[in-house]
Amino acid sequence: MPQKCTHLDQIKDVEPKTPQGCEECLESGDSWVHLRLCLECGHVGCCDSSKNKHATKHFHATQHPIMQSFQPGEDWRWCYVDEIEVCRMLIALPEPPTAIVAGDAASAFQAIEGLGNLGKRVPEDMSVVGFDDCPAAANFPGLTTVRQPAEEVGQLAGQFVSRLLEGAPASECRVTLPVELIIRASTASPRSE
Ligand SMILES: [Zn+2]
Ligand SMILES: [Zn+2]
Ligand SMILES: [Zn+2]
């Protein structure tokens, strides 16, 4: 996403108010898919893949712009205001794209959230592709992504280091490994009309 977020000064050192789950869903006895933490007030709400979308509702009610994933092992953040702006810009183009390819999974999830806030559906209205098949990408509803052979990269890097130490020329320690496209639910054929 191109521009720089101007809302970072609104981030506070928050304690999750309801670390056990979405505040509103816990009250009503509903379930959720993923959790988001508001970095301005500590509200914990459910994501846009959840039935109630309480994190987004929290943004609309409070204008608190910055959320962080509250899933174990995930720390990506996004700014509702900026994401909505970028997505609005894309949609307003004379020939709007039919797909967004994001540089990593976090940006891809941000794009999905931003599009959702503008009433656009992924993948019906816009496909989204991520890069790096991080564990979060496999989560519901599933991000189409480019998987890199991380294990092979590590092994070869180790071998190359020892060969370099043995005096092999650097040009012999260079290889391009194939990547793999993992197709999940965030992409579809462009609509024909
Ligand atoms: Zn921002
Ligand atoms: Zn909820
Ligand atoms: Zn908040």
Side-chain angles (χ1 to χ4, degrees):
M1 299 282 158
Q3 82 263 53
K4 222 167 159 40
C5 176
T6 55
H7 309 94
L8 296 177
D9 57 343
Q10 294 183 39
I11 293 179
K12 305 208 172 64
D13 192 11
V14 293
E15 280 293 317
K17 284 194 247 178
T18 53
Q20 67 279 22
C22 170
E23 186 174 323
E24 289 87 350
C25 284
L26 284 169
E27 252 166 52
S28 60
D30 267 326
S31 60
W32 55 83
V33 180
H34 292 145
L35 296 173
R36 310 294 184 225
L37 172 68
C38 172
L39 293 184
E40 184 155 343
C41 73
H43 173 267
V44 176
C46 49
C47 71
D48 284 353
S49 303
S50 310
K51 180 177 90 187
N52 293 313
K53 304 177 170 46
H54 281 129
T56 293
K57 284 181 187 156
H58 177 72
F59 161 67
H60 289 301
T62 60
Q63 298 301 310
H64 293 167
I66 301 188
M67 298 283 155
Q68 182 167 331
S69 176
F70 196 55
Q71 293 300 116
E74 289 182 22
D75 60 359
W76 51 277
R77 298 170 172 184
W78 76 95
C79 172
Y80 273 108
V81 180
D82 298 348
E83 297 324 321
I84 290 175
E85 217 25 65
V86 170
C87 293
R88 200 191 306 279
M89 214 174 67
L90 286 173
I91 292 168
L93 290 172
E95 278 184 64
T98 56
I100 296 175
V101 179
D104 54 36
S107 308
F109 286 124
Q110 289 167 8
I112 291 172
E113 302 265 358
L115 289 166
N117 276 289
L118 291 168
K120 296 286 172 191
R121 293 160 309 160
V122 174
E124 290 86 348
D125 301 315
M126 183 94 73
S127 290
V128 176
V129 181
F131 197 82
D132 257 357
D133 192 31
C134 69
N139 287 340
F140 177 84
L143 181 66
T144 295
T145 189
V146 177
R147 178 186 287 164
Q148 304 184 74
E151 216 176 286
E152 222 181 328
V153 168
Q155 282 171 359
L156 281 170
Q159 288 172 19
F160 285 164
V161 167
S162 29
R163 279 172 57 188
L164 285 167
L165 288 172
E166 288 160 8
S171 57
E172 280 176 24
C173 298
R174 181 176 278 275
V175 68
T176 304
L177 296 174
V179 292
E180 195 185 347
L181 180 65
I182 310 293
I183 298 176
R184 297 201 182 90
S186 66
T187 46
S189 305
R191 286 197 296 188
S192 43
E193 90 272 29

